[in-house]
């Protein structure tokens, strides 16, 4: 099969990673945010291997609808097939490697390379070239020179993921029990969710991990970092997370979901009472669909990262990918997700509310960016980069008797998810194949 | 869509001067962080809109070409929203505003035309916003603007502002200013 991406040789893992990533002792070091050699290992052993979010199904409803994005730094086209399925191709012509699709989204019957006129259909097959006769004279086998297709594509509740690695576990195995928690946002109503049109892209001078970790389990920063935004939007401080009677940090395979059960703590910061009201209105039906427990999570104080770089906030309904662009540069792709069945005016308030809070102009995000950039930039200093950074909150907070699925830790103000995120990252960088990745999961793999 | 010159009614040199002066004054208020005074220049029905720019092929354009009203935006604000943004700037806990961001806003290519009704003016312009933070950070945003300005006694208010940047990817992390 000439159209499947060639598997690359695995390079040796770096030595000395333990010095900058020692989670048993709750320590990392800034070098992991600034080092070029580490970054190159990440592109190979994380981004060319893990399941990566590439699209929401609602973005490409009809045959030939496509979006372009990146998997790591590899440019890809995500396109709906006649069969209803979705294919993901490298956005590079197999002749000289030129980009074949320059648009970010649209609808097409195929792609034609601007360089030598190689033409591909929706299925990615090469169907023609400029001066096609000369290829025939060279016994050219067209069937072997289609667009290169990624190893696997699968979706979960409308979220489309892809992986370059044929040996990757299934998406279901990869997400594990975190999928059960994701339903609180992505499957709380009949009909599921859709993305609002468009994608806001912005550029950070920071390492992608610091942002991904912020969503995997760092609600601790919110009360301090976002004080100004909360006062602007609500006229008062952010809810004091330590006051919540019940909250959790749950992780699995490096993914993490931290949450309270206050139903509307996140949505409230959008300052639109109609959205609080909407969530309260649908809550009984969510309880019927997902049970009481998860009906408390539909817009609660919570956040999630699916390893490595896909994150979302229930309530604010912002969905994002932290795209790596070098050890100290990141592009942020931001979307807004809404329930398909929600009234139009509710969708509209979410479109604007997410923009107002968590986007490059959002009053909350405004105070995140500088923190993330300087967590990265201080590691430019050779000495600073090697110093221990504390990531040790909640070392003994694992809950062993809980009915909840996943590795469940008590409380949101806890760095258990951050440790699990960096541990999985460390394990990936130290593994030559998926079979070498140690299984550190200790909780229930499925909901009871 | 740009109207052809014959369809436009340019204002007098004096009126052009007054409105240009007003818009330069508005920008100076931003550079001086006089956000309350800046907010007072907004009409109560202000629509302050900076849509996201989408890089699409000519055969797949949106309602307005590269942007659409129901798609994602940087700003899609009414007066209450602008007031909330101003309120954040004014909090002592706006950590990322201390030390302050130093701003230079420039307005050029100003064209002023009579609007549909008396006392309304349509202003086309281009702008450049330069921000610097810390010792060496610099962020530059260029773009085009279409304003609807209304006379308010012998002064003016801004009723509509459409801000269009050429970039489909913002080249910086945020827009902690107004454009």
């Amino acid at each position: 099969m000439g159209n499947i991406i060639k598997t690359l040789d695995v390079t040796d893992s770096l030595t000395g990673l333990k010095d900058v990533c020692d989670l048993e002792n709750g320590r990392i070091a800034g070098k992991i945010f600034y080092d070029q050699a580490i970054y190159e290992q990440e592109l190979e052993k994380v981004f060319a291997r893990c399941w990566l979010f590439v699209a929401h199904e609602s973005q490409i409803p009809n045959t030939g609808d496509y979006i372009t994005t990146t998997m790591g730094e590899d440019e890809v086209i995500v396109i709906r097939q006649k069969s209803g399925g979705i294919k993901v191709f490298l956005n590079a012509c197999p002749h000289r490697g030129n980009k074949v699709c320059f648009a970010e989204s649209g609808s097409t019957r195929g792609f034609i390379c601007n360089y030598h006129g190689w033409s591909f259909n929706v299925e990615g097959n090469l169907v023609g070239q400029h001066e096609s006769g000369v290829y025939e004279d060279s016994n050219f086998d067209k069937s072997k020179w289609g667009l290169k297709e990624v190893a696997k594509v699968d979706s979960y509740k409308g979220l489309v993921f892809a992986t370059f690695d044929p040996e990757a576990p299934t998406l279901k195995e990869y997400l594990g029990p975190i999928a059960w928690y994701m339903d609180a946002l992505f499957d709380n109503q009949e009909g599921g969710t859709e993305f609002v049109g468009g994608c806001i892209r912005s550029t950070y001078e920071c390492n992608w991990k610091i942002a991904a970790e912020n969503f995997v389990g760092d609600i601790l920063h919110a009360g301090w970092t976002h004080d100004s935004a909360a006062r602007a939007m609500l006229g008062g401080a952010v809810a004091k997370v330590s006051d919540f009677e019940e909250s959790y940090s749950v992780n699995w395979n490096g993914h993490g979901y931290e949450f309270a059960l206050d139903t509307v703590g996140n949505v409230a910061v959008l300052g639109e009472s109609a959205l609080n009201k909407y969530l309260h209105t649908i809550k009984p039906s969510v309880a019927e669909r997902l049970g009481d427990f998860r009906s408390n999570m539909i817009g609660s104080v919570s956040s999630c990262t699916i390893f490595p770089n896909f994150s979302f906030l229930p309530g604010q309904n912002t969905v994002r990918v932290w795209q790596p662009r070098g050890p100290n540069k990141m592009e942020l792709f931001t979307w807004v997700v809404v329930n398909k069945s929600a009234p139009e005016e509710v969708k509209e308030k979410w479109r604007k509310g997410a923009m107002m809070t968590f986007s490059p102009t959002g009053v909350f995000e405004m105070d995140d960016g500088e923190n993330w950039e300087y967590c990265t930039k201080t590691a430019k200093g050779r000495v600073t980069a090697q110093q221990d950074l504390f990531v040790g909150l909640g070392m003994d907070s694992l809950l062993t008797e809980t009915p909840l699925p996943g590795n469940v830790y008590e409380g949101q103000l806890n760095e258990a998810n951050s440790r699990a995120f960096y541990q999985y990252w460390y394990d990936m960088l130290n593994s030559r194949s998926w079979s070498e990745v140690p299984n550190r999961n200790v909780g229930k793999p499925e909901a009871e | 869509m740009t109207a052809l010159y014959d369809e436009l009614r340019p204002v007098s040199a004096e009126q052009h001067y007054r409105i240009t002066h007003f818009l330069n004054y508005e920008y100076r208020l931003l550079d001086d962080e006089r956000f309350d005074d800046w907010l007072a220049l907004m009409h109560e029905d202000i629509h302050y809109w900076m849509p996201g720019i989408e890089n699409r092929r000519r055969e797949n354009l949106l309602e307005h070409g590269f942007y659409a009203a129901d798609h994602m935006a940087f700003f899609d604000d009414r007066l209450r929203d602008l007031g909330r943004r101003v309120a954040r700037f004014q909090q002592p806990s706006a950590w990322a505003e201390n030390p302050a961001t130093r701003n230079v806003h420039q307005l050029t290519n100003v064209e002023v035309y009579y609007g549909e009704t008396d006392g309304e003016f349509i202003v086309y312009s281009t702008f450049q916003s330069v921000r610097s933070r810390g010792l060496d950070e610099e962020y530059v945003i260029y773009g085009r603007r279409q304003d609807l300005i209304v006379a308010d006694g012998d002064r003016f208010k801004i009723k509509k502002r459409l801000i269009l940047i050429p970039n489909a990817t913002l080249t910086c992390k945020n827009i902690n200013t107004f454009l």
Side-chain angles (χ1 to χ4, degrees):
Chain A
M1 287 290 284
N3 298 341
I4 298 293
I5 289 170
K6 188 195 285 180
T7 309
L8 308 177
D9 290 341
V10 183
T11 64
D12 290 337
S13 296
L14 296 173
T15 55
L17 274 180
K18 188 80 177 168
D19 296 336
V20 289
C21 190
D22 176 10
L23 283 320
E24 281 153 36
N25 292 303
R27 298 283 187 274
I28 55 173
K31 188 178 178 183
I32 67 171
F33 302 134
Y34 210 87
D35 189 83
Q36 185 68 35
I38 289 177
Y39 179 71
E40 281 161 20
Q41 286 287 299
E42 288 176 342
L43 290 183
E44 176 191 344
K45 295 193 166 72
V46 174
F47 290 99
R49 199 185 258 176
C50 291
W51 284 96
L52 305 173
F53 174 80
V54 292
H56 189 287
E57 289 193 17
S58 64
Q59 294 178 291
I60 46 171
N62 303 311
T63 308
D65 289 353
Y66 68 88
I67 64 148
T68 56
T69 184
T70 66
M71 293 170 62
E73 297 221 44
D74 289 291
E75 304 213 27
V76 296
I77 303 168
V78 185
I79 183 163
R80 180 72 70 171
Q81 301 297 297
K82 215 175 190 174
S83 63
I86 290 168
K87 286 193 175 192
V88 179
F89 304 114
L90 287 187
N91 189 358
C93 179
H95 183 223
R96 283 294 179 277
N98 187 27
K99 193 162 167 167
V100 295
C101 179
F102 285 78
E104 66 177 88
S105 65
S107 190
T108 188
R109 286 188 293 169
F111 303 98
I112 304 175
C113 179
N114 292 341
Y115 201 176
H116 302 90
W118 283 34
S119 165
F120 308 90
N121 63 14
V122 168
E123 292 80 39
N125 299 318
L126 178 61
V127 291
Q129 312 96 324
H130 170 64
E131 296 278 21
S132 58
V134 298
Y135 295 87
E136 284 158 26
D137 294 345
S138 296
N139 295 320
F140 178 74
D141 183 354
K142 240 198 261 189
S143 70
K144 289 188 174 151
W145 294 97
L147 293 174
K148 299 288 177 185
E149 201 174 334
V150 304
K152 299 187 201 185
V153 181
D154 199 358
S155 62
Y156 183 75
K157 305 286 166 87
L159 305 170
V160 185
F161 292 81
T163 172
F164 287 125
D165 192 341
E167 291 176 16
T170 65
L171 179 63
K172 192 170 186 287
E173 289 168 333
Y174 183 72
L175 296 175
I178 301 302
W180 185 81
Y181 296 94
M182 291 168 75
D183 293 349
L185 177 61
F186 294 102
D187 192 23
N188 68 40
Q189 290 292 282
E190 185 66 36
T193 60
E194 64 188 17
F195 274 10
V196 168
C199 171
I200 296 288
R201 296 177 178 82
S202 51
T203 313
Y204 283 67
E205 289 176 31
C206 81
N207 185 270
W208 65 272
K209 293 190 291 302
I210 196 75
E213 184 228 312
N214 180 273
F215 278 58
V216 90
D218 184 355
I219 192 63
L220 180 60
H221 82 289
W224 184 259
T225 297
H226 298 307
D227 183 77
S228 62
R231 289 179 193 280
M233 297 302 291
L234 307 170
V238 181
K240 200 153 180 263
V241 176
S242 56
D243 287 346
F244 291 137
E245 279 179 23
E246 190 180 1
S247 73
Y248 300 93
S249 298
V250 181
N251 59 65
W252 194 269
N253 291 349
H255 323 309
Y257 206 129
E258 57 81 23
F259 59 94
L261 298 169
D262 62 320
T263 310
V264 292
N266 266 6
V267 77
V269 305
L270 305 191
E272 294 285 358
S273 55
L275 296 182
N276 294 39
K277 196 176 161 197
Y278 169 75
L279 289 186
H280 281 302
T281 306
I282 66 166
K283 190 176 174 180
S285 66
V286 181
E288 269 179 43
R289 188 178 181 82
L290 303 177
D292 284 340
F293 188 85
R294 285 181 292 171
S295 76
N296 298 318
M297 294 172 63
I298 50 179
S300 67
V301 173
S302 55
S303 65
C304 176
T305 290
I306 299 302
F307 188 91
N309 64 336
F310 172 67
S311 300
F312 59 89
L313 298 176
Q316 285 93 357
N317 288 19
T318 178
V319 175
R320 57 256 318 272
V321 172
W322 322 100
Q323 298 283 14
R325 296 290 182 264
N328 47 29
K329 196 172 172 193
M330 167 181 99
E331 269 175 35
L332 168 53
F333 292 9
T334 304
W335 301 271
V336 180
V337 67
V338 290
N339 280 336
K340 260 184 206 162
S341 61
E344 285 307 314
E345 61 271 23
V346 164
K347 294 180 185 177
E348 174 67 2
K349 283 191 189 302
W350 251 307
R351 181 182 71 86
K352 291 177 71 169
M355 168 198 76
M356 190 70 201
T357 53
F358 286 91
S359 81
T361 49
V363 291
F364 280 79
E365 192 149 310
M366 214 74 91
D367 288 294
D368 279 321
E370 193 155 272
N371 292 340
W372 299 346
E373 290 194 341
Y374 281 91
C375 288
T376 302
K377 288 181 183 182
T378 57
K380 191 175 183 179
R382 185 175 163 77
V383 176
T384 308
Q386 302 282 351
Q387 302 304 308
D388 284 343
L389 301 173
F390 176 82
V391 58
L393 287 180
M395 287 295 253
D396 301 314
S397 57
L398 180 70
L399 296 174
T400 50
E401 302 297 317
T402 176
L404 296 172
N407 311 318
V408 184
Y409 293 78
E410 186 177 10
Q412 284 174 290
L413 297 177
N414 194 323
E415 287 170 330
N417 283 3
S418 298
R419 280 191 298 280
F421 172 84
Y422 289 121
Q423 185 67 60
Y424 199 74
W425 171 85
Y426 175 91
D427 289 341
M428 292 304 290
L429 259 54
N430 276 296
S431 301
R432 291 183 60 86
S433 69
W434 274 100
S435 58
E436 287 182 18
V437 180
N439 179 6
R440 298 183 192 270
N441 298 312
V442 293
K444 296 180 179 66
E446 281 178 46
E448 283 174 356
Chain B
M1 189 64 78
T2 303
L4 292 175
Y5 200 71
D6 289 352
E7 300 163 15
L8 294 165
R9 295 181 297 143
V11 299
S12 66
E14 186 194 346
Q15 193 67 289
H16 186 279
Y17 171 81
R18 290 181 67 222
I19 287 175
T20 306
H21 185 271
F22 167 72
L23 292 172
N24 287 340
Y25 168 73
E26 182 218 338
Y27 259 5
R28 190 159 55 82
L29 291 178
L30 291 176
D31 288 355
D32 289 345
E33 296 191 305
R34 288 166 59 187
F35 293 116
D36 287 329
D37 294 328
W38 177 82
L39 200 57
L41 302 183
M42 301 299 138
H43 190 275
E44 61 181 350
D45 296 326
I46 175 75
H47 183 210
Y48 184 98
W49 184 29
M50 179 177 173
I53 299 301
E54 297 177 39
N55 177 41
R56 302 175 72 96
R57 288 182 62 84
R58 294 179 189 278
E59 60 271 27
N60 284 152
L61 292 179
L62 300 167
E63 177 193 7
H64 298 293
F66 301 123
Y67 61 97
D70 59 352
H71 280 215
M72 291 180 69
F74 290 97
F75 294 95
D76 197 345
D77 286 18
R78 300 291 174 178
L79 193 58
R80 180 195 67 166
D81 308 310
L82 292 174
R84 285 172 163 175
R85 296 182 192 279
V86 165
R88 174 193 164 265
F89 279 120
Q90 294 172 335
Q91 300 301 321
S93 58
W95 313 124
E97 305 302 334
N98 192 4
T101 305
R102 296 168 294 274
N103 280 268
V104 176
H105 286 82
Q106 284 182 299
L107 198 71
T108 54
N109 295 26
V110 177
E111 302 168 62
V112 186
Y113 302 100
Y114 288 108
E116 285 177 8
T117 59
D118 274 358
E120 278 192 357
F121 304 94
I122 298 161
V123 184
Y124 296 93
S125 61
T126 56
F127 69 86
Q128 176 179 232
S129 154
V130 183
R131 287 171 294 156
S132 184
R133 286 192 55 68
L135 292 172
D136 57 0
E137 293 174 39
E138 184 178 275
Y139 305 105
V140 182
I141 299 175
Y142 299 96
R144 289 193 169 274
R145 237 173 51 186
Q146 291 175 34
D147 293 336
L148 181 66
I149 307 287
V150 293
D152 179 46
D154 58 355
R155 297 187 173 196
F156 301 100
K157 291 220 163 175
I158 300 162
K159 195 170 176 184
K160 279 189 192 169
R161 173 160 292 173
L162 171 64
I163 301 158
L164 299 172
I165 57 171
N167 315 71
T169 300
L170 190 68
T171 56
C172 47
K173 64 179 174 294
N174 67 27
I175 306 180
N176 66 338
T177 185
F178 298 101
L179 300 170

